[in-house]
Amino acid sequence: MALRHYTLDFNLSAAVDSASTVPDLLSILHEQEMTETVHETNGHGYLATFVGKNGRLVILRVLSHGLVTIDLQCYEGDNIAQLDNLLNALEKKLNTLLNGNIARIKRLPALVRGAEVDRYWPTADGRMIEYDIDRLVYEEDSAYQNIKILHSQQFGNILVLNGDVNLAESDLAYTQAIMGSGQEDYAGKEVLILGGGDGGILAEVVKKKPKMITMKVIDGCKMHMRKTCGNILDNLKGDCYQILVEDCVPVLKKYVKEGRMFDYVINDLTAVPISTEPEEDSTWEFLRLILDLSIKVLHPSGKYFTQGNSVNLTEALNLYEEQLGKLSCPVDFSKEVVCVPSYMELWVFYTIWKK
Amino acid sequence: MALRHYTLDFNLSAAVDSASTVPDLLSILHEQEMTETVHETNGHGYLATFVGKNGRLVILRVLSHGLVTIDLQCYEGDNIAQLDNLLNALEKKLNTLLNGNIARIKRLPALVRGAEVDRYWPTADGRMIEYDIDRLVYEEDSAYQNIKILHSQQFGNILVLNGDVNLAESDLAYTQAIMGSGQEDYAGKEVLILGGGDGGILAEVVKKKPKMITMKVIDGCKMHMRKTCGNILDNLKGDCYQILVEDCVPVLKKYVKEGRMFDYVINDLTAVPISTEPEEDSTWEFLRLILDLSIKVLHPSGKYFTQGNSVNLTEALNLYEEQLGKLSCPVDFSKEVVCVPSYMELWVFYTIWKK
């Protein structure tokens, strides 16, 4: 059974004397028949804990510089209306006691901890985000990663790889951005897709009547991301596409050797690594290797499209752009910032071409 | 000074005996020289609190049905690397102790409580969202509402009215949606804008060369939302627009009396109320009044555009649609779901026309 964790915080305009606020708050908590412990804080304000009979726990802190925090933990199945009443009573009492000295009252949505379905998936830039996820559709540990498909009321199924939101059925904006935002003519062209196991890019490029698409994937989502991939992943070979379930690197090396060229290379393998230690991190090495090989198989007038990362991760993005200056073929690039609905942060996409 | 509040939770596959896990964890916490209190829980698992010398507080719960929760509160200025090390040590130890019995480990981004700049602004459907807000640009309590302008690294300035995210400089998608998503020809038309104090709609409609726009607003954002409004709010009267700073209702009533008609009415006053007690709630009454008057001043072939609310608030949206069936002129409607970047939830927009 999960825990619900409520917080109620008062920011004060001036320092506060706990002796003037605590006794009246205690009277409310005493009505709850909880066992009280007042802790020695070595001069760091007032701290008391209250343990109820039914798994309830309240923590009251009055920090003398001007912050009052209340935590309330209870079982998920506890009486929500009763707890709301308790928090309302505490808020009302504090409002009266601290009248004129309140800079802000903050009562956040309860954090649900240890729930069967986890709704908290932080952004790439490290912010806390609660999604409207109501069920786990699918989970598997492949040799490469943990794959989850979670259902969101508003976004449809969301593919989560190693804890990172990868793509939702609502995210056509992602697929459009990594295809050049509608500015490209794919008709009759040779296209290479690296990654893209959700089938979204393949499904969209096929509509543009290219000459041939070659896609390299490791895993597919054909069962649970139908709005994204349609039926395109049901067959590994179609009129104008083939899907190779194998490692990218040897295939790219073979293409380089054969002198095979593509009009478009779409790299959907991975975001720019967040770690900014390029020399130490093997994901950066892998990124440079793929990038270098991809540019080698790119037609002189061709374009290479890829995702970057959160627009806020400027350090990682700068580092990526530095790598672009170190490839064996000189390249230029442009970037675009796009809103992908399920990401909860703006995302950078790159277009790269041979100088 | 704010508090940082870390959580570290272990979901277990099977019930757990606290005697087998707690002593080894305690050894880590004892190294921190914290004062320990073990609480009587009346059969609701193991609960201990640890108070440090520098305002640190750790709460350890081992709920016998299979959930271990750790809370760590500290001052914002505390040594973050040291705290990360402590959490790493606890996580590593629990990982070893519970080996084979772990269904999920969850360590969320720290909650910052009582910070000078508040980054937590829940969605309309009640989910916890942390924004990348780095400063408060402006704050005022008007007669009608609390107005805040907060700066986000990715969204630019965000207008927050009574605690609800209203519009950010990144949100052209909102303005486009409430203007009919590019499907309308405003050239030479009579347009009435209700609300829209941020100037975004006015700035966009003016570009379409309408005959005349009349806008009713209460407050403006001309200082801090320049990317949204440009310089359009600097003058209350332009070649093809006039801004009336007054209450909508008497003006609408006057227009009805005079028989004045508009080709487009854009109502940007407020979202559909979340409260679903329409008979009792004055915001619903206000909504019905404005809607009824607006439809009365709408040309028979005209269109009325307005925002709804979060796509997840189906009950409130259904109720709104019911109201549409009760107007003095019969109307039809369509709706569209749009991703507005700073909202962190998909948003419904309505188009309404006379039958």
Side-chain angles (χ1 to χ4, degrees):
Chain A
M1 204 192 315
L3 282 187
R4 291 176 73 82
H5 186 144
Y6 296 88
T7 58
L8 170 60
D9 300 330
F10 279 69
N11 273 47
L12 308 181
S13 322
V16 66
D17 171 23
S18 65
S20 67
T21 50
V22 165
D24 278 327
L25 283 179
L26 293 185
S27 69
I28 294 176
L29 292 165
H30 291 160
E31 283 168 23
Q32 304 292 318
E33 297 179 27
M34 300 176 98
T35 307
E36 176 186 347
T37 311
V38 179
H39 299 262
E40 170 55 44
T41 64
N42 300 295
H44 291 278
Y46 177 89
L47 167 60
T49 51
F50 303 83
V51 181
K53 289 194 178 119
N54 38 14
R56 287 187 191 170
L57 168 65
V58 172
I59 301 145
L60 169 64
R61 298 185 81 166
V62 181
L63 295 162
S64 32
H65 64 273
L67 177 64
V68 179
T69 66
I70 295 173
D71 291 80
L72 166 54
Q73 293 185 2
C74 64
Y75 288 129
E76 207 182 11
D78 204 333
N79 186 327
I80 305 264
Q82 220 178 72
L83 293 160
D84 277 339
N85 286 342
L86 172 56
L87 285 165
N88 289 344
L90 290 168
E91 182 173 338
K92 198 176 157 196
K93 179 65 81 180
L94 270 167
N95 232 327
T96 313
L97 291 171
L98 301 169
N99 183 24
N101 186 20
I102 300 171
R104 182 171 70 233
I105 300 173
K106 197 76 186 187
R107 190 160 150 186
L108 289 174
L111 206 60
V112 183
R113 300 170 63 178
E116 203 184 323
V117 179
D118 185 4
R119 292 162 60 97
Y120 303 93
W121 300 98
T123 54
D125 72 344
R127 288 174 292 112
M128 166 95 101
I129 299 286
E130 179 185 357
Y131 280 85
D132 58 342
I133 288 168
D134 51 19
R135 64 178 192 276
L136 174 68
V137 176
Y138 171 87
E139 180 161 19
E140 199 200 301
D141 282 299
S142 82
Y144 307 93
Q145 53 201 347
N146 172 271
I147 303 164
K148 281 190 194 71
I149 293 177
L150 302 165
H151 182 263
S152 148
Q153 205 183 326
Q154 63 188 314
F155 300 130
N157 284 340
I158 306 180
L159 175 64
V160 175
L161 300 178
N162 290 338
D164 293 327
V165 170
N166 193 275
L167 197 80
E169 289 181 317
S170 58
D171 295 347
L172 183 60
Y174 177 95
T175 305
Q176 288 173 334
I178 207 167
M179 284 173 60
S181 297
Q183 305 299 305
E184 303 302 322
D185 179 12
Y186 283 91
K189 300 288 168 62
E190 284 276 356
V191 185
L192 176 64
I193 302 173
L194 306 174
D198 53 70
I201 300 171
L202 182 60
E204 290 303 309
V205 178
V206 159
K207 292 179 191 165
K208 313 282 178 188
K209 312 240 174 278
K211 186 174 163 200
M212 179 49 81
I213 310 167
T214 309
M215 183 164 101
K216 316 257 171 272
V217 285
I218 289 164
D219 349 82
C221 305
K222 63 181 176 184
M223 295 300 290
H224 301 289
M225 301 286 282
R226 299 302 286 204
K227 272 184 210 149
T228 300
C229 66
N231 60 4
I232 198 89
L233 296 179
D234 295 350
N235 296 301
L236 289 182
K237 213 164 156 43
D239 279 348
C240 67
Y241 70 89
Q242 56 170 332
I243 302 173
L244 306 175
V245 183
E246 54 190 290
D247 195 352
C248 289
V249 177
V251 184
L252 278 171
K253 283 184 174 164
K254 196 185 72 166
Y255 289 164
V256 173
K257 213 175 219 172
E258 296 170 356
R260 195 163 160 197
M261 290 290 192
F262 294 89
D263 300 294
Y264 293 103
V265 177
I266 302 178
N267 179 346
D268 189 34
L269 287 169
T270 166
V272 164
I274 292 177
S275 143
T276 47
E277 290 162 17
E279 301 319 318
E280 290 166 40
D281 196 320
S282 65
T283 58
W284 277 101
E285 231 164 84
F286 178 70
L287 182 148
R288 274 194 302 262
L289 175 64
I290 296 278
L291 192 53
D292 208 55
L293 290 168
S294 298
I295 299 297
K296 280 181 180 155
V297 301
L298 192 65
H299 196 275
S301 65
K303 284 185 185 167
Y304 173 92
F305 294 119
T306 194
Q307 60 167 322
N309 209 313
S310 163
V311 72
N312 280 346
L313 293 175
T314 44
E315 211 181 328
L317 295 170
N318 286 342
L319 198 53
Y320 178 72
E321 292 166 23
E322 264 175 45
Q323 309 305 310
L324 295 179
K326 296 179 187 166
L327 301 181
S328 46
C329 307
V331 298
D332 261 335
F333 69 92
S334 65
K335 53 187 165 176
E336 193 189 3
V337 178
V338 174
C339 177
V340 179
S342 80
Y343 280 20
M344 310 286 189
E345 61 193 324
L346 298 179
W347 209 251
V348 173
F349 288 83
Y350 286 98
T351 303
I352 298 163
W353 61 90
K354 284 177 168 164
K355 258 186 194 163
Chain B
M1 205 192 318
L3 282 186
R4 292 176 72 84
H5 186 144
Y6 295 88
T7 58
L8 169 61
D9 300 331
F10 279 70
N11 273 47
L12 307 181
S13 322
V16 67
D17 172 21
S18 64
S20 67
T21 49
V22 165
D24 279 326
L25 283 179
L26 293 186
S27 69
I28 295 175
L29 292 165
H30 290 160
E31 284 167 23
Q32 304 292 316
E33 298 179 24
M34 300 177 98
T35 308
E36 176 185 347
T37 311
V38 179
H39 300 262
E40 170 56 47
T41 64
N42 300 296
H44 292 279
Y46 177 87
L47 167 59
T49 50
F50 303 83
V51 181
K53 287 188 181 127
N54 37 14
R56 287 187 191 170
L57 168 65
V58 172
I59 301 148
L60 169 64
R61 297 186 81 165
V62 182
L63 294 162
S64 33
H65 65 271
L67 176 63
V68 179
T69 65
I70 296 173
D71 291 81
L72 165 55
Q73 293 184 3
C74 64
Y75 288 129
E76 207 183 10
D78 204 335
N79 186 327
I80 306 263
Q82 219 178 73
L83 293 159
D84 277 340
N85 285 342
L86 172 56
L87 285 164
N88 289 343
L90 290 168
E91 182 173 337
K92 198 176 157 195
K93 179 66 79 177
L94 271 166
N95 231 328
T96 313
L97 292 171
L98 301 169
N99 183 24
N101 186 20
I102 299 170
R104 181 171 71 235
I105 302 172
K106 196 76 185 186
R107 190 160 150 187
L108 290 174
L111 206 59
V112 182
R113 300 170 63 178
E116 203 184 322
V117 179
D118 184 5
R119 291 162 61 99
Y120 303 93
W121 299 99
T123 55
D125 72 344
R127 288 174 294 110
M128 165 96 100
I129 300 284
E130 178 186 356
Y131 281 86
D132 58 342
I133 288 168
D134 50 18
R135 65 178 191 274
L136 174 68
V137 176
Y138 172 85
E139 180 159 20
E140 199 199 303
D141 282 298
S142 83
Y144 306 93
Q145 54 202 344
N146 172 272
I147 304 163
K148 280 191 195 74
I149 294 178
L150 301 165
H151 182 262
S152 147
Q153 204 183 326
Q154 63 186 314
F155 300 130
N157 284 340
I158 306 180
L159 175 64
V160 174
L161 299 178
N162 291 337
D164 293 327
V165 169
N166 193 277
L167 196 80
E169 288 181 318
S170 59
D171 295 346
L172 183 61
Y174 177 96
T175 305
Q176 287 173 335
I178 207 167
M179 284 174 58
S181 297
Q183 305 298 304
E184 303 302 322
D185 180 12
Y186 283 90
K189 301 287 169 58
E190 284 275 356
V191 185
L192 176 64
I193 303 172
L194 306 174
D198 52 71
I201 300 171
L202 181 60
E204 290 304 310
V205 178
V206 160
K207 293 178 190 166
K208 313 282 180 190
K209 313 238 174 278
K211 186 174 164 200
M212 178 51 80
I213 310 165
T214 310
M215 183 163 103
K216 317 255 173 273
V217 285
I218 288 165
D219 348 80
C221 304
K222 62 180 174 183
M223 295 299 292
H224 301 290
M225 303 285 283
R226 300 301 288 203
K227 273 184 208 148
T228 300
C229 66
N231 59 4
I232 199 89
L233 296 178
D234 295 349
N235 296 301
L236 289 180
K237 213 166 157 45
D239 278 349
C240 67
Y241 70 88
Q242 56 170 332
I243 303 172
L244 307 175
V245 184
E246 54 188 293
D247 195 355
C248 290
V249 176
V251 183
L252 278 170
K253 283 184 174 162
K254 197 185 70 167
Y255 289 165
V256 172
K257 213 175 221 172
E258 295 169 358
R260 194 162 161 197
M261 289 291 194
F262 294 89
D263 299 295
Y264 292 104
V265 177
I266 302 177
N267 178 347
D268 190 34
L269 287 169
T270 165
V272 164
I274 292 178
S275 141
T276 47
E277 288 162 19
E279 301 318 319
E280 291 165 42
D281 195 319
S282 65
T283 58
W284 277 99
E285 230 165 84
F286 178 69
L287 182 147
R288 273 194 302 263
L289 174 64
I290 296 278
L291 193 53
D292 209 54
L293 290 168
S294 298
I295 299 297
K296 279 182 182 153
V297 301
L298 192 66
H299 196 274
S301 65
K303 285 185 185 167
Y304 174 92
F305 294 120
T306 193
Q307 60 167 321
N309 208 315
S310 164
V311 72
N312 280 345
L313 293 176
T314 44
E315 212 181 326
L317 295 170
N318 287 341
L319 197 52
Y320 178 72
E321 292 165 23
E322 263 175 45
Q323 310 305 311
L324 295 179
K326 295 178 188 167
L327 301 181
S328 45
C329 307
V331 298
D332 261 335
F333 70 92
S334 64
K335 54 186 164 176
E336 192 189 3
V337 177
V338 173
C339 177
V340 179
S342 80
Y343 281 19
M344 309 287 189
E345 62 193 323
L346 298 179
W347 209 251
V348 173
F349 288 83
Y350 286 98
T351 303
I352 298 164
W353 59 91
K354 284 177 168 163
K355 257 186 195 160

